[in-house]
Amino acid sequence: VQLQASGGGLVQPGGSLRLSCAASGRTFTSHSMSWFRQAPGKEREFVAVITGSGGSTYYADSVKGRFTISRDNARNTVVLQMNSLKPEDTAVYYCAADLATNVIDFIARLPPTYWGRGTQVTVSS
């Protein structure tokens, strides 16, 4: 599985950004898709995950209610809609894929198997 993230940029606090991740391969629906981020000087952290069917999602507490993860299995893409952005959301965002079948399995199997290159998100006035 090859992953390519896009959509990062500079946005003011309170603004929105939409990140997309395009995946190659014929087994997209078999993979749970997730987003992670890494801020300067900090460890990479989990942001959100969505299962293969799109039926289950799970978010980090820090983004719950502001970020929404979704997927389009016909187009092999996963989207992270980020609203009400804060300066502390500034980071490089990575999409990842794993054969986890549900959220519990995803957590048990961390870290995900496949990773894309990151896209920079900067929230600043």
Side-chain angles (χ1 to χ4, degrees), residues 78-101:
V78 60
V79 170
L80 184 69
Q81 178 65 44
M82 306 186 295
N83 299 328
S84 302
L85 283 161
K86 305 175 182 180
E88 51 263 43
D89 294 317
T90 295
V92 177
Y93 283 71
Y94 300 87
C95 66
D98 192 82
L99 284 170
T101 56

Side-chain angles (χ1 to χ4, degrees), residues 29-76:
T29 55
S30 299
H31 290 78
S32 288
M33 300 297 297
S34 53
W35 290 93
F36 288 72
R37 66 186 182 185
Q38 187 167 19
K42 295 188 177 181
E43 294 186 353
R44 190 175 298 186
E45 65 174 1
F46 165 76
V47 175
V49 61
I50 185 166
T51 53
S53 66
S56 296
T57 58
Y58 181 70
Y59 298 89
D61 287 344
S62 58
V63 307
K64 201 172 295 182
R66 300 188 297 122
F67 291 12
T68 302
I69 188 171
S70 61
R71 65 190 294 159
D72 183 342
N73 285 343
R75 298 184 178 184
N76 280 21

